[in-house]
Amino acid sequence: MHGEFGTSGFSDALVILGAAGIVIPAFARLRISPVIGFILVGMIVGPSGLGGLTHEFSWLNYLTISNREAIDPFAEFGIILLLFAIGLELSFRRLVAMRKMVFGIGAAELILSAALIGGALALFGHTASSAAVLGFALAMSSTALVLPIAGTTSPVGKAALAMLLFEDLALVPLLFVFGTAAAAAASGLIEVAWKGAIVIGGLLLIGRLFLPALFAQAARTKSPEIFLAVSLLVVILASIATGAVGLSPILGALIAGVLIAETEYHSEVEVVTAPFRGLALGIFLITIGMRIDFRLLTSIWPQLLLALVGILVVKAFVTGGLLRLSGSRVGVAAETGLLMASPSETTLILLGAAAATGAIAQSTATFWQAATAIGLTITPLLAMLGRLAARRVDPHALEAAEGGAEGRTIVFGFGRVGRMVADMLEEHGRPYLAVDSDIDNVMSAREAGYSILFGDVARTELIEKLNLGSSSALVLTMDDPVLVARLTRRLRSSFPELAIIARARDTDHAAKLYEAGVTDAVPETLEASLQLSEAVLVDIGVAMGPVIASIHEKRSELRSEIMAQAEMEAEPRLGRRRARDSRQSVAGSNRSTPAA
C-alpha cells in the first residue's frame, strides 16, 4: 500500500498542492511571480531533477511527479482557462476605445517582431513555414506577468496593454492556423475552415442571445457555486464545440471569454474562476518545467543563451522604437521595450500546438520552450532594468506619469442612496463606478445609463480589481451594518489615505464606523430628522438664518455624542457639513425657501 501510494496520483496531487500552498506564497513574499515559481517547481520535481533519483531513493516518490502524462489533462484545462481569462479582457467596447493604439502600434509591434525573428531563423536554416510559426510564437509577450507589473493606468501600462490586447486578439487566427494543420492533413483545410466558421458563428450567436439570461438566473440564486458551475460549463462546451470540428479547444475558450466580456458579469466570472484558473495554469506550468532537461541545458546553454538574448534585443528595440515614433516619451519607450521583450506563457501554448500538428519539429519546440521558460523567469529583472533605464534617459518621466487625472469615485451598493450619490457626481462632472450584487438592479441601472458593475464587494478579489489605491473616494451605501464595518476595517488597513464615506443608520452605527476607520459617517435617520425640522421651522415663519444656525448647533451636539461614544480624540465630521452650514448661514437671510 505504501508503494502504491508513493507512485499514484496522490503523490502527484501532494506535489502540486504543496507548490500552490507552500512554494508559491514563498515566491510571492520574495515578489517573484507565481508563473516563475511553478516552472521552477516543475524543473525540480521533473525527470531531470529529483524525479530522476526515485529509483535510488524511494522516498522521493512523495516529492516528485511520477506520471507526467496523468496530469496532462489538467494542464490542458489550465491552458483553456488561461485563454478564457484572456478572452475576458477582449471586450469589443475596450477594443473600440483603444483601437488606434491596439491596431496601430500593437499590430506593428507583433508583425514587425515576428518578421525579424522569423527572418533571422530562416537564415539559420529553418524552413519558411517553421520560421513563420516560431516568429509569431516568440513575438508574444506575457500578459500574466507584464500587466501586474506595469498596471493599466500608467503610460507604460497603457502602452503595454494596447500591444498585449492585439497579441491576445491575434491568438484567434494563430490558433486557427496552428490547430488545423493536423485536421487539414486528414480531411482538408477547406472543410475544417467552413465547419469552423459555422461553429464560431453559432457560438457568437448563441452567446449573444442566451448567455445574459443564463448568467442572470445564476446571479439571482446568490450562490457563488452555481455561478462558478455555469461559467465552467460555458467554457467547456465552447471548447468541445471547436475541438469537435478540428479547431483547437482553446480557441473555443477564448471565444467564450470574449462573449462573457460583453456582459455585465465579466468581473464576477473572472473573480469566481480565478482559483481554478490559477491552480490549473500552475499545473500547466509545472509540466513545462518538467520538460526542461538540465543535462540538455548544460550541453546547449551557449546556443540557448544566444537565442534568448537575440529575441530580447529584437523585441525591445522594435517596441521601444515604435513607441518613440508614435510620440511617447523616451523613458516610457525604454521601460516598455524592456518589459515587453520577454516571451509569454502563450508562446508555450503556440509552440505546443505547432509541435502537435507537425508545423515544427518536437525537438525545435523543446528548445524554444526551454528558452521561453528561462525568459519568463527573468521578466521581473527586465522590468527593473526598464525602470532604471527610464530614469537614466528621462529623469522627469516619473513626475510626468504621476501628474495624471484625478481618480474616480467607487460606490458600493446602488439602491436609492447609491443612485443619489451617482446623480450628484454626474451633476458635477466627477467620474464614478458603482458596484452592486443585485443583478436586476444592475440591469435597470445600466439601461438608465449609469456606470455600474455586477459583483459581490465581500470578495477580496473583486476589491483588488477595482484599483482603489488610485480612486478619489469610496462610498459605502449598503444597508448591512456588519458588512460595512468589516469592509471599512479591511480597506482602511490596505488604503490608509483613501477617503471612505459610509451610510450609517444612527449615531450608534456611526460611532462604530468611525472606530472602524471611515472618513465620514452620515446617519440617515438623523439627517432626515434635521431636514424635516428645517422645513417645518421655515414653513411656520422662522427666519432662515436662525434655522440654519440651530440645525448647525444640533449637528454639533450629535458630533459630541458620537465622539464620546466612539471614544475619539478628534471630532468626527458628519458629511463635511461645517463649511456648507457656514455658507448657508451667511446666505440664509436672502433665501426664501428651505434647502433641498
Side-chain angles (χ1 to χ4, degrees):
M1 181 69 180
H2 174 80
E4 292 178 0
F5 178 84
T7 58
S8 70
F10 287 103
S11 62
D12 297 343
L14 177 65
V15 173
I16 294 170
L17 295 177
I22 300 175
V23 178
I24 303 309
F27 277 93
R29 182 174 291 274
L30 297 174
R31 296 186 178 181
I32 300 176
S33 170
V35 172
I36 299 170
F38 278 119
I39 292 176
L40 292 178
V41 167
M43 294 171 66
I44 294 171
V45 304
S48 63
L50 296 177
L53 302 175
T54 53
H55 62 284
E56 299 179 15
F57 305 97
S58 59
W59 57 271
L60 284 176
N61 283 315
Y62 296 102
L63 303 176
T64 60
I65 296 178
S66 55
N67 186 1
R68 189 178 71 188
E69 289 73 19
I71 68 171
D72 279 345
F74 299 99
E76 184 178 0
F77 188 53
I79 302 172
I80 286 174
L81 290 180
L82 172 63
L83 268 293
F84 173 63
I86 291 174
L88 289 174
E89 298 290 335
L90 285 176
S91 70
F92 296 115
R93 284 173 290 189
R94 192 172 200 177
L95 290 175
V96 170
M98 301 181 63
R99 59 188 180 277
K100 292 183 179 179
M101 283 284 289
V102 172
F103 296 101
I105 295 178
E109 183 268 339
L110 177 62
I111 294 172
L112 185 56
S113 296
L116 292 175
I117 294 171
L121 292 173
L123 293 177
F124 281 96
H126 284 271
T127 63
S129 60
S130 176
V133 167
L134 290 173
F136 278 104
L138 296 170
M140 295 286 182
S141 298
S142 175
T143 301
L145 294 182
V146 170
L147 288 186
I149 292 174
T152 58
T153 57
S154 67
V156 173
K158 290 178 181 178
L161 176 63
M163 289 181 278
L164 290 170
L165 281 176
F166 184 82
E167 290 181 4
D168 295 340
L169 191 63
L171 279 175
V172 176
L174 290 177
L175 287 173
F176 180 86
V177 172
F178 293 0
T180 54
S187 58
L189 181 61
I190 295 178
E191 181 181 355
V192 174
W194 70 260
K195 286 183 178 180
I198 292 176
V199 168
I200 293 174
L203 288 176
L204 293 174
L205 179 62
I206 293 173
R208 290 277 188 176
L209 295 177
F210 297 107
L211 274 187
L214 178 64
F215 278 103
Q217 292 301 320
R220 291 188 180 98
T221 65
K222 302 288 186 179
S223 172
E225 292 80 10
I226 293 179
F227 206 87
L228 172 63
V230 170
S231 302
L232 295 179
L233 176 66
V234 170
V235 178
I236 293 173
L237 287 178
S239 300
I240 291 175
T242 54
V245 295
L247 299 176
S248 172
I250 56 181
L251 179 58
L254 183 68
I255 294 172
V258 172
L259 290 172
I260 295 176
E262 292 300 306
T263 70
E264 54 265 32
Y265 311 98
H266 65 277
S267 292
E268 186 70 7
V269 169
E270 190 171 355
V271 167
V272 299
T273 59
F276 287 86
R277 187 171 66 247
L279 184 59
L281 176 60
I283 298 174
F284 164 66
L285 294 172
I286 286 176
T287 61
I288 293 299
M290 292 173 64
R291 293 191 181 100
I292 300 176
D293 190 339
F294 288 107
R295 292 180 292 272
L296 176 64
L297 292 181
T298 55
S299 63
I300 63 171
W301 70 265
Q303 300 96 306
L304 201 62
L305 183 61
L306 182 62
L308 179 59
V309 170
I311 298 297
L312 298 179
V313 170
V314 169
K315 293 176 65 178
F317 274 98
V318 168
T319 303
L322 288 173
L323 287 174
R324 281 297 292 155
L325 290 174
S326 68
S328 296
R329 298 179 66 102
V330 63
V332 172
E335 184 175 353
T336 309
L338 284 168
L339 181 60
M340 293 285 291
S342 67
S344 169
E345 61 279 353
T346 53
T347 301
L348 301 172
I349 296 172
L350 291 173
L351 290 173
T357 58
I360 59 174
Q362 183 60 53
S363 58
T364 302
T366 301
F367 175 87
W368 286 110
Q369 283 174 338
T372 300
I374 296 172
L376 285 170
T377 61
I378 65 171
T379 301
L381 176 61
L382 292 173
M384 183 179 66
L385 293 176
R387 285 190 291 269
L388 292 175
R391 292 190 181 96
R392 178 67 61 89
V393 301
D394 190 0
H396 302 293
L398 183 60
E399 290 80 355
E402 290 176 346
E406 185 180 4
R408 63 188 176 184
T409 297
I410 306 297
V411 181
F412 284 177
F414 209 66
R416 56 183 178 81
V417 178
R419 288 199 179 216
M420 180 61 70
V421 172
D423 288 338
M424 296 309 297
L425 288 169
E426 286 188 343
E427 181 73 20
H428 292 274
R430 299 288 184 171
Y432 74 92
L433 175 66
V435 183
D436 198 275
S437 60
D438 187 330
I439 185 56
D440 295 313
N441 195 22
V442 171
M443 293 173 68
S444 64
R446 280 273 179 97
E447 292 175 358
Y450 289 100
S451 175
I452 188 169
L453 180 71
F454 170 74
D456 184 358
V457 297
R459 292 181 175 274
T460 304
E461 300 88 347
L462 179 62
I463 299 294
E464 293 173 352
K465 285 178 62 61
L466 293 174
N467 195 21
L468 290 176
S470 62
S471 300
S472 294
L474 172 66
V475 184
L476 306 176
T477 72
M478 304 87 71
D479 189 18
D480 186 338
V482 176
L483 176 60
V484 171
R486 186 171 70 244
L487 274 175
T488 299
R489 292 189 186 93
R490 186 205 312 169
L491 296 174
R492 179 54 69 207
S493 62
S494 301
F495 308 100
E497 301 300 323
L498 178 65
I500 303 177
I501 301 93
R503 164 192 179 187
R505 289 184 174 180
D506 48 33
T507 54
D508 292 341
H509 187 205
K512 293 178 181 178
L513 292 179
Y514 278 117
E515 289 176 347
V518 298
T519 309
D520 286 295
V522 182
E524 59 179 350
T525 55
L526 296 177
E527 280 303 311
S529 301
L530 290 172
Q531 291 181 27
L532 180 62
S533 301
E534 179 183 339
V536 170
L537 291 169
V538 171
D539 287 343
I540 64 175
V542 180
M544 178 63 73
V547 171
I548 295 298
S550 64
I551 295 294
H552 177 65
E553 183 178 352
K554 178 58 69 174
R555 280 203 181 95
S556 296
E557 292 178 12
L558 296 176
R559 278 194 291 266
S560 299
E561 291 178 14
I562 295 176
M563 181 174 61
Q565 189 172 350
E567 298 181 354
M568 299 174 62
E569 296 180 0
E571 188 178 65
R573 296 164 292 171
L574 290 187
R576 303 177 188 267
R577 290 184 174 81
R578 290 188 220 177
R580 187 198 73 176
D581 289 347
S582 299
R583 290 192 297 270
Q584 287 179 332
S585 296
V586 172
S589 59
N590 297 324
R591 297 175 57 186
S592 59
T593 57

